Amino acid sequence: MQNVKIVVTGPFNAGKTQFIRSISEIDVVNTERKISSKAEMVKSQTTVAMDFGRITVDDELILYLFGTPGQRRFDFMWEILSEGMLGFVVMVDSTRPETFREARRILETFRAYAPTPYIVAANKQDLPDAWDLGDMRLALRLADDVHLLPCVSTDKETVKKVLITLLESILEMIG
Amino acid sequence: MALKGNLTDFPILQILNLVNLAQKTGTLVINHQDLVSLITFRNGKLTYAQYGGEDGSLVAVLYRAKKLTKNQAQLIHQKAAEISDKQLGLMLVNARYLSQAEILTCLQEYYLSIVKRFFAKAEGVFEFVADRMPPAVKITVKLDLENVIIEGTRQMRELEVLQEEIPSLEMAVKFKDRQGMDIRNLQLSVQEWQVVKYITPKNTIRQIARANHMNDLEIRRVIYTLLQAGIVEMVRVAGTPKIDLSTAIPNQTKKEQRSIINRLINRLKTA
């Protein structure tokens, strides 16, 4: 049996849990707790350890999706979760420019762990306040060759598109 | 789509960086403390600024710059209140009282001073209105933003922010491929030039720091300044393999790895 994993990371409330929920064949095993910080009261619960989704390919291959906690005090989980990952997805809320700096920090931290392919998903692109992808690319300081895809984490099709694009770029890199 | 936010979380320097790199044309409208300020750009260059209700007329700007006396300014206000800035500028040039270059320099300095007031301001909401330009009667200038960004970034001293922006010193930086940017025009400090000398994807940021006898804070500050000004970008160190799947898919040949990825893609396509 071959198990592979993709890590879904990003700032607090970027839509990581929903992203995994939209594509996982099992109910997402999550570790959500009530939020205690006033500053992060934009939602009532947050992931404190990880989210965990699964996609079975066949009897011999399973893809696991791991979502990292968005709050800073759980940063210590990142390195543990990133070990042995196939690639990672950085989710960014397109309507909250105040989280772009945090997204950059997460991206640079994960990039430094290992030479692993990654993709950036601009979530909530269906909302009127969403930033344009070109502006987001500059604000997130993404080079032209980094994939930045529009995404709506509640929409399974866009979630699929993000994951497939990541896998295709892995394929290209394998050569 | 929207290009708006809060200055507390998305500071003016980052907006300038974005406008500069995207070569945007339009007006940044900032609402702060019940005031509305405007900063206008054309193709990513600063062209005009107006701070709240402050008198930004040419007369007021020239008076503040000591190019007009108090009496002269009052006289112009009384006798030529209806004259536009452009007309007044022309009259002053024709009368050989001031040169066109002097007038433009005064306006540049004034517009720049408005931008700089927002360096320290952490409050206010902003919105970038594409293609909105100042009234035709106003005199516009054309000012590169790189040096403004560099100056503003130098003022930043918070280690915490710098650590967030550059979490790992094991990464490298390389020069961005930008048309029309000439590094010789940048007003860099000696320390910044010393760092620039070592910039290549072969050197980690830590190695550059060591070569220049700089500590972590100093090197982060310089690299952040160069990043903000859009001069360099972070990259993995040259020679690092593009991909390492030895822990993700261990004990597999390239062909087997490809087969696994293809199966994953096919499965997702039918999900």
Side-chain angles (χ1 to χ4, degrees), chain B:
Chain B
M1 278 203 262
L3 178 52
K4 54 185 178 183
N6 194 311
L7 285 182
T8 316
D9 307 306
F10 201 88
I12 187 82
L13 284 169
Q14 287 188 34
I15 303 170
L16 294 181
N17 172 261
L18 203 154
V19 167
N20 178 36
L21 293 177
Q23 301 189 348
K24 284 184 177 293
T25 296
T27 295
L28 182 70
V29 182
I30 303 172
N31 282 282
H32 55 105
Q33 296 163 336
D34 296 329
L35 298 172
V36 179
S37 291
L38 309 171
I39 304 173
T40 305
F41 306 89
R42 186 184 289 279
N43 299 326
K45 296 187 192 308
L46 176 67
T47 60
Y48 175 77
Q50 185 189 315
Y51 187 85
E54 187 172 281
D55 184 358
S57 65
L58 183 60
V59 182
V61 171
L62 294 176
Y63 169 61
R64 278 191 220 109
K66 297 187 168 58
K67 296 289 179 188
L68 294 177
T69 64
K70 195 175 181 180
N71 286 341
Q72 287 171 325
Q74 279 174 346
L75 197 69
I76 293 172
H77 264 308
Q78 285 163 9
K79 304 262 182 188
E82 303 300 314
I83 287 181
S84 73
D85 281 0
K86 272 189 183 166
Q87 287 172 313
L88 176 63
L90 206 57
M91 281 168 64
L92 291 170
V93 171
N94 287 340
R96 301 193 177 199
Y97 187 76
L98 287 171
S99 68
Q100 186 181 0
E102 281 176 304
I103 293 173
L104 289 176
T105 302
C106 288
L107 285 169
Q108 275 186 3
E109 283 171 7
Y110 176 64
Y111 298 156
L112 209 49
S113 76
I114 292 176
V115 174
K116 287 178 184 172
R117 286 181 226 179
F118 288 98
F119 283 176
K121 255 188 219 317
E123 285 177 11
V125 290
F126 69 85
E127 179 167 7
F128 188 85
V129 185
D131 299 324
R132 176 170 158 187
M133 298 308 286
V137 291
K138 291 290 179 188
I139 300 173
T140 56
V141 298
K142 195 176 164 189
L143 204 62
D144 286 334
L145 289 175
E146 279 94 356
N147 288 323
V148 184
I149 297 168
I150 288 171
E151 191 187 331
T153 310
R154 279 193 199 120
Q155 293 173 16
M156 210 185 69
R157 290 289 178 266
E158 301 96 341
L159 175 62
E160 197 184 323
V161 176
L162 291 169
Q163 272 174 335
E164 276 180 21
E165 294 285 351
I166 307 165
S168 170
L169 298 182
E170 304 311 323
M171 297 291 281
V173 280
K174 73 175 185 75
F175 290 106
K176 278 185 87 124
D177 189 14
R178 280 179 57 204
Q179 264 190 338
M181 200 200 69
D182 188 345
I183 195 163
R184 287 167 300 188
N185 294 335
L186 300 174
Q187 291 158 12
L188 299 179
S189 66
V190 174
Q191 197 181 38
E192 286 158 354
W193 278 119
Q194 281 170 342
V195 168
V196 163
K197 211 167 61 177
Y198 287 94
I199 287 179
T200 150
K202 290 178 190 165
N203 293 333
T204 63
I205 299 171
R206 194 179 299 286
Q207 285 170 330
I208 298 174
R210 278 201 200 118
N212 286 297
H213 308 290
M214 294 164 82
N215 62 33
D216 289 1
L217 174 63
E218 288 168 330
I219 189 69
R220 277 194 166 93
R221 199 176 283 154
V222 174
I223 296 291
Y224 182 59
T225 301
L226 300 174
L227 279 171
Q228 276 287 79
I231 300 163
V232 298
E233 61 187 348
M234 300 259 267
V235 289
R236 281 178 178 142
V237 182
T240 309
K242 266 189 171 180
I243 189 166
D244 178 8
L245 297 179
S246 59
T247 53
I249 317 176
N251 310 319
Q252 305 279 350
T253 63
K254 263 192 179 185
K255 195 180 168 188
E256 287 164 337
Q257 288 176 346
R258 285 181 65 88
S259 163
I260 287 171
I261 304 297
N262 273 319
R263 280 154 66 199
L264 289 169
I265 292 172
N266 291 334
R267 171 69 181 87
L268 281 167
K269 281 181 178 168
T270 56

Side-chain angles (χ1 to χ4, degrees), chain A residues 28-99:
Chain A
V28 173
V29 180
N30 65 7
T31 47
E32 291 197 326
R33 292 290 177 270
K34 279 190 178 171
I35 292 177
S36 52
S37 161
K38 273 187 185 170
E40 291 163 337
M41 274 296 188
V42 291
K43 61 177 184 174
S44 60
Q45 293 202 314
T46 193
T47 304
V48 292
M50 62 178 179
D51 290 319
F52 175 67
R54 189 182 74 192
I55 300 165
T56 306
V57 177
D58 50 42
D59 291 345
E60 293 175 347
L61 180 59
I62 295 176
L63 169 65
Y64 289 103
L65 296 172
F66 286 85
T68 64
Q71 286 180 306
R72 256 169 197 236
R73 58 182 183 276
F74 303 111
D75 285 6
F76 66 92
M77 288 295 297
W78 292 0
E79 200 161 355
I80 300 165
L81 288 174
S82 66
E83 205 176 316
M85 65 183 168
L86 202 55
F88 62 97
V89 177
V90 182
M91 299 284 295
V92 187
D93 184 338
S94 311
T95 67
R96 294 177 65 216
E98 63 269 29
T99 65

